[in-house]
Amino acid sequence: MKSLLWKDTKANIKKIAENAPCYYGIDYVPEGKVSSGYITADKTNFEFEVKISSVEEFKKSDEIVLKKKTGLKSIIKIESIRKLDKIPISDFKLSENINEIKTFAEGERFIVKYREKDELTLSPDQKEIIDDAVSRGFDIPVSLANKLIKYKKSLSDDKYEKLLKRVDLELKKREIDPYEAVGIIAAQSIGEPGTQMTMRTFHFAGVVEMNVTLGLPRLIEIVDARRIPSTPSMVIYLTEKYKHDEDRVRELIKNLENTTIIDVADIITDVGEMNLTVKLDKLKSNDRLVTLTDVISALEKIKGIIYNQVDDERILIKLQQESFKKLYQVQEQLKITPIKGVNKINRAIARLDPKENAWIIYTQGSNLKDVLNMEGVDATRTYTNDIIEVENVLGVEAARNAIYREAENTLSEQGLNVDKRHLMLVSDMMTFSGAVRAVGRQGISGRKSSVLARAAFEITSKHLLKAGLLGEIDPLAGVAENIIVGQPVTLGTGAIDLVYKGNKK
Amino acid sequence: MSKFNVLEHEIVPEHHLVPVDEEMSVLKKLNIARDNLPKISINDPAIKALEEIHGKLEPGRIIKIIRKSPTAGYYEYYRVVVKSVI
């Protein structure tokens, strides 16, 4: 969407800010449709953003704020104005090639869409239910309001009150008590079903090379926050244009799979003649849709070699300077020379998903950043099982969701039913510091503030020695340290200090 | 055209910058000091995306995150922007 950019005086900007929403008369006619405007006072940095709802031809009227007194051509309706931290002119893609704004210009800002929190606003029906419940003295969560709407209409008032009472009771039963040891409960709730997990890996039907680690090894991988999971893989959703078109999907797969020369050809080294022969394997190359021309163009990047095509499946490579060392180096280099594809993605297969009724690509190996920028990929849904990669590309909140999603999938795959809240607690704790941290010595437990708690966990002497050297103080606020010194722990009833006021005489 | 925006990905919840004058009421509501809030790095991709809307962010600003919960509908979560995370 195009924006209108213009230079204005500070007095005019002040006038707009005071009167907004208002009509503003300008001496310029926008060519296209504009919905927003940016105002600059110093020609190069924009300080104000306005929302424009309509553009009309100029007519005289008293309610219009004027930019100038004469020569006005159109009126824009300004809905709102807000101050920005200065944004430079380089943030705009202008229709003309200029580097400062003297009067008016039109351009497009490289902007990110800002999602409004529309889901959070309540519908009138929901609001009524909640207000009604509050007036009767019940605190009903928003998620339940939807379900209650139909009962409010069908039940009599007496019965509805009874229903609310029952709902409130059931909610109260499920509430956790203050100072309850939720961490321990979560640990045990995940740990117990963990003992029943199998050690198997899951195979995609028909594709032997493709498997995904599941079960206990995968769960350990998730909570350990491994840099690289043992079987990284991606699920790639496609855009509307691509997802029903089999040919396009095949083309995309071809561009996804990372293919090196060794994948499609044999490399024969002749030490006597000091040359190398690349022999294309017909079966493999047809499978990966690679031709000899692709191989030749990949060879162009290697320096210090002379290559000649012998026949339609062999390339003879000679060295510019003959030496055994160089021969060996070139042979090793040839093996890893990429022909096409995205780095790190070894294999990709497409499956027709019955639920979506569209093609979805599954890959072995993962490279989220590059894949998201590919054409035809639905960048809003494409997903990888590598949590650290999600953190690096999409941020810590996404990583938190990824931990939850992966752990939940791993457990439910095995038919184990762990309450979602335990997994949510684990994922919240792992991302608390702003980066994904493992559960254990390297992560959460290793960074507790209390010396005694750390010493009680692992490597006792190191922590105690360090604390002694640095003169650390332990306020005895946690559980482990209070057990060590023989005090009641700060949980449940132990969390509350009782004060007894004797009878005053 | 513009580069890919991480805030549009389905796994990324909504991030909103809390205006400076509302920060005190947030901290009061949570009954917490600013340092005790969960952290988010200034180099986090979501913060980088927010910076394109609001301009450069300073460490210490509070970010409101509207999370979708499988059990409780939508709820708000707050993180404070920090220079570096451990």
Side-chain angles (χ1 to χ4, degrees), chain A residues 1 19 22 56 61 64 75 97 114 189 227-228 250 254 271-273 298 302 324 328 338 353 379 443 450 471 479:
Chain A
M1 201 60 170
N19 292 316
C22 67
E56 289 160 34
S61 162
I64 300 174
I75 316 169
N97 206 357
Y114 198 42
S189 306
R227 292 290 123 183
I228 301 151
R250 204 162 280 167
K254 204 170 86 179
V271 185
E273 295 287 319
I302 302 175
F324 286 111
Y328 179 72
D353 193 82
S450 162
V479 177

Side-chain angles (χ1 to χ4, degrees), chain A residues 85 109 112 114-115 117 119-120 372 379-380 382-383 392-393 395-397 400-401 404 428 431-434, chain B residues 4-14 16 39 44-45 49 52-54 65 67 70 74 79 85-86:
Chain A
D85 291 331
R109 187 177 171 196
V112 286
Y114 198 42
R115 276 192 295 184
K117 47 168 189 175
E119 294 106 325
L120 208 70
L372 286 183
T380 62
T382 293
Y383 181 66
N392 291 335
V393 179
V396 70
E397 274 296 314
R400 183 255 175 203
N401 283 342
Y404 169 75
D428 270 348
T431 55
F432 181 85
S433 71
Chain B
F4 167 69
N5 173 14
V6 297
L7 292 180
E8 278 176 12
H9 200 282
E10 68 166 1
I11 205 172
V12 183
E14 290 176 30
H16 297 266
K39 321 265 187 300
D44 195 271
E52 292 193 28
I53 304 164
H54 299 284
I65 292 147
R67 283 183 178 171
Y74 290 86
R79 279 182 191 270
V85 290
I86 359 151

